[in-house]
Amino acid sequence: MRILPPLTALSLVLLMHAAAWQGVAGGASAGRSDLVVSAMQVRSVEAAAAAAVVTPPPAPAVPRRDASARTEPRPRPSDTPTDTPTLLAAARAASAPAAAAPDDAEIAPVYPTRLPPSAVLRFDLRRSGFSGRSELQWQNLNAQGQYQVRLEGSVAGFRVFTWASQGRVDKAGIAPLRFTDERRGKSLQAANFQREAGKITFSGPSTEYPLVAGAQDRLSWMIQLGAVLSARSAPPAAGERLSFFVAGAKGEGEVWHFVSQGLQSVNVQDQATPAWRFTREPRKPHDTRIEVWLDPVRHFLPVRYRQSSDGSNDVLDLILQEMQIAS
């Protein structure tokens, strides 16, 4: 004797009750046809039950929309809740490819250095048609593991700018702690090299940069570049590049690349002086162009410095007139 599955048996019982009810209500003449129909319904119920076990219920019908309208595909309920659009935006942002790092985010190399002795350098200053004087004071406080450097410029007896840098000396050479930039008629601005916190911050803008080994400011790099050359056993080849991360006092910071232009002659105190010329070319609009001439006989200290701004007629040119080196 064949035993029917529970679901089939239950369905058959229900259909037999329905057939009996139909017989009571409609008479015996309809009994045979009702039984045939009932048997077919049993098979239909069995097929539906089997399908229900292995097939999930169909998704609710989506109303038709105009084919010409551009619509975003709607996520399924199992993917994203329809009442959390912020989660959808966050998921899309997380899956998006990360932006490529700019070239200036590269870490500049760390070079061996040999710092020059303390010195005072006095320059003729020329700036946009005006003439004046400038003095660079470099103090190598090697006994304390510190340094100080200060550059002032004056025109017609009025001081027009003062740059000052002070800090430590470590394995990477000059390690600034604070750089200040003061211009005539403007408030002093500063860059702070927070070595314990590992970041560079500024007195004005909230911009921050990670503090990497060998990082310099807009004044200290001039001494650091000469110290790198002084520590080398061979002169720089034409086209060779030396790089430092350089921070200013206005929130700017990027890797500066100084390219060797070879040994050139500079007129110092009416004498032709061979010096290594390095240039830093601008990389964006209104960027700074730097030219510096370093004298190997004078511990690679600068004998000329020229600064200009891309797209501007403002040019600062310093030419050495006198140098006093500490014994």
Side-chain angles (χ1 to χ4, degrees), residues 94-146:
S95 61
D103 292 340
D104 286 333
E106 65 179 327
I107 302 301
V110 176
Y111 308 96
T113 60
R114 184 168 60 196
L115 296 179
S118 298
V120 177
L121 294 75
R122 296 182 178 89
F123 301 89
D124 276 346
L125 180 152
R126 301 170 186 171
R127 183 168 190 177
S128 303
F130 296 94
S131 298
R133 295 286 185 269
S134 181
E135 182 174 279
L136 175 67
Q137 298 177 359
W138 157 249
Q139 290 182 288
N140 182 354
L141 307 174
N142 191 40
Q144 296 82 21
Q146 300 176 352

Side-chain angles (χ1 to χ4, degrees), residues 22-34:
Q22 288 179 356
V24 173
S29 60
R32 182 176 180 84
S33 61
D34 290 337

Side-chain angles (χ1 to χ4, degrees), residues 80-205:
T80 306
T82 56
D83 58 344
T84 55
T86 56
L87 293 180
L88 177 59
R92 289 176 176 173
S95 61
D103 292 340
D104 286 333
E106 65 179 327
I107 302 301
V110 176
Y111 308 96
T113 60
R114 184 168 60 196
L115 296 179
S118 298
V120 177
L121 294 75
R122 296 182 178 89
F123 301 89
D124 276 346
L125 180 152
R126 301 170 186 171
R127 183 168 190 177
S128 303
F130 296 94
S131 298
R133 295 286 185 269
S134 181
E135 182 174 279
L136 175 67
Q137 298 177 359
W138 157 249
Q139 290 182 288
N140 182 354
L141 307 174
N142 191 40
Q144 296 82 21
Q146 300 176 352
Y147 81 92
Q148 292 181 359
V149 59
R150 182 184 183 92
L151 178 65
E152 293 183 350
S154 60
V155 174
F158 294 97
R159 190 175 61 187
V160 292
F161 71 87
T162 301
W163 301 339
S165 174
Q166 61 182 7
R168 307 171 184 168
V169 177
D170 60 17
K171 294 181 179 180
I174 292 178
L177 291 176
R178 182 174 172 83
F179 168 69
T180 58
D181 184 348
E182 186 176 7
R183 311 289 178 97
R184 182 173 178 80
K186 297 182 180 180
S187 59
L188 182 144
Q189 296 176 301
N192 301 296
F193 294 71
Q194 300 186 32
R195 301 203 165 267
E196 289 73 16
K199 61 183 179 180
I200 304 173
T201 60
F202 303 89
S203 60

Side-chain angles (χ1 to χ4, degrees), residues 8-26 31 34-35 38-39 41-42:
T8 304
L10 178 60
S11 302
L12 183 58
V13 170
L14 294 175
L15 291 174
M16 291 177 67
H17 277 286
W21 176 259
Q22 288 179 356
V24 173
D34 290 337
L35 289 176
S38 299
Q41 290 174 343
V42 169

